[in-house]
Amino acid sequence: MNTKVSPLIQCINQIPFFDEFTNADKKKLAERSGIFKKYEKIGSTLFSDGGKGDSMFIILEGVVDITRTNFKGDREKPFVLAKLKKGSVFGEISLLGNQKRTTGASTASSPVIVMEIDKKTLESFDLGIQKLFHKEMILILIRRLDEMNKKLINLRGYVTLP
């Protein structure tokens, strides 16, 4: 019996998003071609703000900058909104809502390895894996909503809000 675990599955095993996935589920993901991308150069663009948003990303290794373009005159100067590290998930709102990207994403370290899941790929998985992806995305959205609510509550102490 071969008990050696592939480096890709070892990476997946370290990401909390996949905690509820079985070893068989993880193996199916690792065997799927085209969903894992490796970026060697710092500053490589994963996507740009305003672009078509039909996929989500999970960082398996490295750091990704989430940016927003600041328009001043004719010059575009992106600024970093967040630095996302290993285990971070982003782009899920564009995947679920099929909306244009409101931010950009580029590599901030080398290498960066991500799993990119688009709608077609998600729908091609068996229903068990689809359910796990949806459950994890919902939990992420709930956590983010809770964080925003806490920030709003804290802001009420400083600003009069309706």
Side-chain angles (χ1 to χ4, degrees):
M1 182 176 175
N2 184 3
T3 58
K4 188 174 181 179
V5 178
S6 78
L8 191 51
I9 291 179
Q10 287 176 356
C11 233
I12 291 170
N13 282 336
Q14 296 174 20
I15 308 301
F17 184 93
F18 298 107
D19 286 349
E20 298 292 320
F21 288 65
T22 67
N23 289 335
D25 293 335
K26 293 173 188 176
K27 185 176 182 205
K28 287 177 188 174
L29 293 174
E31 291 171 348
R32 183 62 65 101
S33 65
I35 65 172
F36 298 97
K37 299 196 165 90
K38 184 175 186 178
Y39 298 86
E40 298 285 350
K41 295 171 99 178
I42 294 173
S44 296
T45 301
L46 280 71
F47 58 81
S48 300
D49 54 346
K52 182 180 178 188
D54 62 355
S55 60
M56 65 176 275
F57 296 80
I58 302 167
I59 302 173
L60 302 179
E61 193 64 51
V63 179
V64 172
D65 283 341
I66 301 300
T67 60
R68 179 78 182 185
T69 302
N70 181 18
F71 295 98
K72 288 196 174 192
D74 291 332
R75 295 183 3 198
E76 294 181 15
K77 184 181 178 189
F79 59 94
V80 176
L81 296 171
K83 285 194 173 291
L84 304 181
K85 298 178 180 165
K86 182 177 183 171
S88 295
V89 178
F90 59 100
E92 73 286 343
I93 293 173
S94 290
L95 170 66
L96 294 170
N98 202 26
Q99 300 174 359
K100 286 186 176 184
R101 303 277 185 195
T102 58
T103 60
S106 60
T107 58
S109 69
S110 177
V112 169
I113 302 170
V114 296
M115 176 188 288
E116 181 179 1
I117 303 292
D118 61 20
K119 193 171 198 162
K120 184 177 178 181
T121 300
L122 182 59
E123 290 172 351
S124 74
F125 290 127
D126 64 53
L127 289 177
I129 291 177
Q130 287 182 48
K131 182 180 174 183
L132 290 168
F133 266 95
H134 286 120
K135 177 185 173 191
E136 291 302 317
M137 285 188 279
I138 289 169
L139 290 172
I140 288 167
L141 293 172
I142 289 169
R143 280 193 299 273
R144 291 186 182 157
L145 181 59
D146 284 346
E147 289 170 12
M148 291 302 295
N149 283 336
K150 287 175 186 171
K151 288 178 182 177
L152 181 62
I153 288 168
N154 289 336
L155 196 76
R156 284 185 186 259
Y158 300 105
V159 179
T160 304
L161 297 174

mmCIF file of all heavy atoms in Angstrom, residues 15 21 30 44 54 58 62 82-83 102:
data_model
loop_
_atom_site.group_PDB
_atom_site.id
_atom_site.type_symbol
_atom_site.label_atom_id
_atom_site.label_comp_id
_atom_site.label_asym_id
_atom_site.label_seq_id
_atom_site.Cartn_x
_atom_site.Cartn_y
_atom_site.Cartn_z
ATOM 1 N N ILE A 15 -4.534 23.802 4.839
ATOM 2 C CA ILE A 15 -5.461 24.913 4.612
ATOM 3 C C ILE A 15 -6.787 24.625 5.321
ATOM 4 O O ILE A 15 -7.466 23.640 5.012
ATOM 5 C CB ILE A 15 -5.698 25.121 3.090
ATOM 6 C CG1 ILE A 15 -4.375 25.252 2.327
ATOM 7 C CG2 ILE A 15 -6.626 26.298 2.844
ATOM 8 C CD1 ILE A 15 -3.492 26.388 2.763
ATOM 9 N N PHE A 21 -13.145 18.319 4.186
ATOM 10 C CA PHE A 21 -13.015 17.458 3.018
ATOM 11 C C PHE A 21 -12.357 16.139 3.439
ATOM 12 O O PHE A 21 -11.429 16.139 4.240
ATOM 13 C CB PHE A 21 -12.150 18.123 1.939
ATOM 14 C CG PHE A 21 -12.811 19.270 1.219
ATOM 15 C CD1 PHE A 21 -13.158 20.439 1.881
ATOM 16 C CD2 PHE A 21 -13.062 19.186 -0.144
ATOM 17 C CE1 PHE A 21 -13.753 21.501 1.219
ATOM 18 C CE2 PHE A 21 -13.651 20.245 -0.824
ATOM 19 C CZ PHE A 21 -14.008 21.401 -0.137
ATOM 20 N N ALA A 30 -6.685 17.296 -6.069
ATOM 21 C CA ALA A 30 -5.278 17.299 -6.480
ATOM 22 C C ALA A 30 -5.096 16.717 -7.880
ATOM 23 O O ALA A 30 -4.176 17.108 -8.604
ATOM 24 C CB ALA A 30 -4.433 16.529 -5.466
ATOM 25 N N SER A 44 3.076 39.521 -10.376
ATOM 26 C CA SER A 44 2.249 38.871 -11.399
ATOM 27 C C SER A 44 0.773 39.103 -11.086
ATOM 28 O O SER A 44 0.344 38.996 -9.940
ATOM 29 C CB SER A 44 2.520 37.368 -11.443
ATOM 30 O OG SER A 44 3.843 37.110 -11.827
ATOM 31 N N ASP A 54 -15.340 35.393 -12.426
ATOM 32 C CA ASP A 54 -16.046 34.117 -12.468
ATOM 33 C C ASP A 54 -15.281 33.010 -11.745
ATOM 34 O O ASP A 54 -15.540 31.846 -11.964
ATOM 35 C CB ASP A 54 -16.331 33.712 -13.912
ATOM 36 C CG ASP A 54 -15.061 33.498 -14.727
ATOM 37 O OD1 ASP A 54 -13.953 33.759 -14.209
ATOM 38 O OD2 ASP A 54 -15.171 33.069 -15.884
ATOM 39 N N ILE A 58 -7.847 30.174 -3.667
ATOM 40 C CA ILE A 58 -7.408 29.758 -2.344
ATOM 41 C C ILE A 58 -5.885 29.740 -2.393
ATOM 42 O O ILE A 58 -5.299 29.076 -3.257
ATOM 43 C CB ILE A 58 -7.951 28.367 -1.977
ATOM 44 C CG1 ILE A 58 -9.478 28.367 -2.039
ATOM 45 C CG2 ILE A 58 -7.450 27.952 -0.592
ATOM 46 C CD1 ILE A 58 -10.107 26.997 -2.008
ATOM 47 N N GLY A 62 2.440 31.325 -0.293
ATOM 48 C CA GLY A 62 2.809 32.680 -0.682
ATOM 49 C C GLY A 62 1.875 33.758 -0.164
ATOM 50 O O GLY A 62 1.004 33.510 0.676
ATOM 51 N N ALA A 82 -5.126 44.896 1.147
ATOM 52 C CA ALA A 82 -4.868 43.783 2.064
ATOM 53 C C ALA A 82 -3.761 42.903 1.517
ATOM 54 O O ALA A 82 -3.571 42.820 0.302
ATOM 55 C CB ALA A 82 -6.138 42.960 2.248
ATOM 56 N N LYS A 83 -3.043 42.284 2.425
ATOM 57 C CA LYS A 83 -2.055 41.261 2.081
ATOM 58 C C LYS A 83 -2.610 39.941 2.584
ATOM 59 O O LYS A 83 -2.798 39.755 3.780
ATOM 60 C CB LYS A 83 -0.708 41.547 2.734
ATOM 61 C CG LYS A 83 0.055 42.661 2.066
ATOM 62 C CD LYS A 83 1.503 42.663 2.547
ATOM 63 C CE LYS A 83 2.329 43.654 1.769
ATOM 64 N NZ LYS A 83 2.549 43.296 0.392
ATOM 65 N N THR A 102 -14.117 44.065 -8.133
ATOM 66 C CA THR A 102 -14.024 45.411 -7.557
ATOM 67 C C THR A 102 -12.616 45.706 -7.072
ATOM 68 O O THR A 102 -12.319 46.838 -6.687
ATOM 69 C CB THR A 102 -15.003 45.582 -6.385
ATOM 70 O OG1 THR A 102 -14.716 44.587 -5.397
ATOM 71 C CG2 THR A 102 -16.446 45.437 -6.853
#
